[in-house]
């Protein structure tokens, strides 16, 4: 009885402020069965529950992206020093034998260095695009271009349209930290399985966390080096040195070419690993910020939905009290 009296007093106080339209709607709502009213309330609570679940999902995703950024930063610090130190291996060979990317040869082998995992921006797509451009640039009636792929991501893209041109494919290189011995064995396997006049290694050179430079390094076969030297080409400073001992110039060139290839491969794998972790850090940072923006929008939507629900319920209570007094 006390509750009914309170509702009547509240209805009398607010009745002059309310139009006839809400009252009519309320009168119609009083004819709805209790089951229908519970279903309406259920739908209202479900809408806020959906937004709440979405907010929870976005928060979990944000935690994952932040954790992945920290892991990538840790791996980057571990491999960056090794990559910088490896640059001193191939630079003397470039000064000695040169890096003639424009040399015209018949048998080209494009070695594409990529990653095994994704979520690292567009570094793998960039390497694949350059590899395809090199293949098209060195194509011709008497020319042959083959691919050697390092990494799962480049393999997945090149196998779509160049499956017959893939001579060798190797994956899971970054599963364990690589040293020079392992890369030299890998380089020896490549040299045994392909015939080449020029090896063109495509990789991403690390500059900073937010910058990497797509790079192509060229290693020529000893025969092409001798041919270009006899033709007067500028391949490096090899002719300024005298060869001593029982080895011929061809044997020296063979050893230097193989050693140059293993050094360039070692540096390329480490540089690409640095670029991968830097790109993953940037991608995860952007994802975390986007998740934060989405969470702000969802919080605003949730508050508006909850406020609208509360306001609607208050109007129904007041209108019901007014209807009882009428």
């Amino acid at each position: 009885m006390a509750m009914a009296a309170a509702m009547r007093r509240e209805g009398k106080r607010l009745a002059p402020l309310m139009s006839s339209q809400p009252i009519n709607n309320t009168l119609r709502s009083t004819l709805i069965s209790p089951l229908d009213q519970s279903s309406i309330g259920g739908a209202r609570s479900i809408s806020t529950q959906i937004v709440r679940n979405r907010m929870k999902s976005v928060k979990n995703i944000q935690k994952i992206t932040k954790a992945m950024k920290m892991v990538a930063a840790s791996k980057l610090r571990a491999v960056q020093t090794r990559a910088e130190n490896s640059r001193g291996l191939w630079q003397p060979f470039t000064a000695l034998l040169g890096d003639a990317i424009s040399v015209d040869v018949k048998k080209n082998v494009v070695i594409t260095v990529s990653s095994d995992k994704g979520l690292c921006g567009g570094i793998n797509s960039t390497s694949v695009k350059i590899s395809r451009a090199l293949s098209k640039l060195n194509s011709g009636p008497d020319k042959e271009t083959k691919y050697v792929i390092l990494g799962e991501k480049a393999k997945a893209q090149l196998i779509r349209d160049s499956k017959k041109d893939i001579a060798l494919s190797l994956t899971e290189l970054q599963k364990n930290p690589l040293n020079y011995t392992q890369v030299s064995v890998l380089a020896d396997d490549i040299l045994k399985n392909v015939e080449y006049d020029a090896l063109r290694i495509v990789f991403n050179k690390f500059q900073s966390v937010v910058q990497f430079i797509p790079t192509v390094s060229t290693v020529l076969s000893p025969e092409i080096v001798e041919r270009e030297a006899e033709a007067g080409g500028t391949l490096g400073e090899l002719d300024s040195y005298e060869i001593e001992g029982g080895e011929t110039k061809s044997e020296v060139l063979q050893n230097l070419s193989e050693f140059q290839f293993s050094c360039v491969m070692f540096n390329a794998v480490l540089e690409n690993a640095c670029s991968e972790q830097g790109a993953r850090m940037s991608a995860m940072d952007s994802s975390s910020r986007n998740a934060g923006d989405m969470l702000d929008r969802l919080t605003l939507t949730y508050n508006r939905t909850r406020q609208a629900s509360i306001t609607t319920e208050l109007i129904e209570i007041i209108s019901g009290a007014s209807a009882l007094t009428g």
Side-chain angles (χ1 to χ4, degrees):
M1 296 294 293
M3 179 68 69
M7 292 179 67
R8 283 196 296 272
R9 286 196 300 271
E10 190 68 20
K12 290 179 180 179
R13 187 174 66 86
L14 295 176
L17 301 177
M18 302 183 64
S19 62
S20 59
Q21 184 66 27
I23 294 176
N24 293 335
N25 290 336
T26 306
L27 289 174
R28 284 194 299 269
S29 67
T30 58
L31 301 177
I32 301 176
S33 65
L35 179 61
D36 295 334
Q37 289 181 351
S38 64
S39 64
I40 294 174
R44 189 178 300 133
S45 63
I46 287 174
S47 67
T48 55
Q49 184 67 30
I50 291 174
V51 178
R52 194 183 299 115
N53 291 339
R54 185 72 182 275
M55 292 170 61
K56 185 177 180 180
S57 300
V58 173
K59 285 181 181 178
N60 292 336
I61 292 173
Q62 190 178 39
K63 290 179 182 178
I64 293 172
T65 55
K66 287 182 178 180
M68 291 183 67
K69 178 185 175 183
M70 295 176 62
V71 172
S74 177
K75 291 183 178 180
L76 176 62
R77 284 193 295 269
V79 76
Q80 184 176 357
T81 304
R82 299 174 60 206
E84 292 174 351
N85 293 335
S86 69
R87 294 172 185 172
L89 289 174
W90 63 268
Q91 289 173 349
F93 287 101
T94 302
L96 184 65
L97 300 175
D99 189 1
I101 191 174
S102 60
V103 173
D104 187 19
V105 296
K106 292 183 178 181
K107 295 181 180 180
N108 289 278
V109 176
V110 179
I111 303 174
T112 307
V113 183
S114 68
S115 65
D116 291 316
K117 299 179 181 179
L119 300 177
C120 54
I123 62 170
N124 297 316
S125 299
T126 303
S127 298
V128 170
K129 288 179 181 178
I130 294 176
S131 300
R132 286 172 174 161
L134 285 173
S135 178
K136 186 179 294 184
L137 185 64
N138 293 286
S139 61
D142 297 330
K143 295 182 179 180
E144 181 185 13
T145 302
K146 293 291 184 180
Y147 289 109
V148 173
I149 303 173
L150 306 182
E152 188 66 38
K153 292 301 177 180
K155 177 184 176 182
Q157 296 186 47
L158 289 173
I159 203 172
R160 299 172 188 169
D161 55 355
S162 306
K163 185 176 182 179
K164 60 183 179 61
D165 296 327
I166 298 176
L168 189 62
S169 177
L170 301 169
T171 58
E172 297 186 358
L173 293 179
Q174 299 297 330
K175 193 172 183 179
N176 298 311
L178 290 175
N179 53 34
Y180 178 76
T181 303
Q182 294 170 323
V183 176
S184 62
V185 172
L186 174 66
D188 188 54
D189 290 339
I190 294 174
L191 294 178
K192 289 179 179 179
N193 287 280
V194 296
E195 295 182 359
Y196 72 97
D197 292 329
L199 297 166
R200 306 186 188 277
I201 301 98
V202 181
F203 63 97
N204 295 280
K205 186 176 182 180
F206 178 78
Q207 292 293 316
S208 65
V209 175
V210 295
Q211 184 182 14
F212 54 88
I213 300 175
T215 307
V216 180
S217 294
T218 304
V219 177
L220 301 177
S221 65
E223 295 80 9
I224 301 299
V225 172
E226 286 187 314
R227 187 195 72 183
E228 292 297 319
E230 292 174 358
T234 57
L235 290 178
E237 303 174 355
L238 181 62
D239 291 336
S240 61
Y241 293 90
E242 294 183 0
I243 299 175
E244 297 180 355
E247 294 183 344
T248 63
K249 185 177 181 180
S250 299
E251 294 174 344
V252 172
L253 284 175
Q254 180 71 30
N255 295 331
L256 288 176
S257 177
E258 293 178 0
F259 194 25
Q260 179 191 15
F261 177 55
S262 62
C263 292
V264 171
M265 280 291 297
F266 182 58
N267 175 253
V269 170
L270 292 178
E271 294 278 1
N272 200 80
C274 280
S275 301
E276 175 191 352
Q277 300 303 331
R280 185 169 287 115
M281 281 183 61
S282 300
M284 293 301 102
D285 182 63
S286 299
S287 299
S288 299
R289 284 189 276 106
N290 291 338
D293 295 340
M294 184 179 293
L295 191 60
D296 293 339
R297 292 194 297 269
L298 288 173
T299 303
L300 183 60
T301 302
Y302 174 76
N303 291 336
R304 286 177 176 175
T305 305
R306 187 168 58 89
Q307 188 64 38
S309 175
I310 294 172
T311 304
T312 304
E313 290 176 357
L314 287 175
I315 292 174
E316 288 178 354
I317 293 173
I318 294 170
S319 300
S322 301
L324 289 175
T325 59

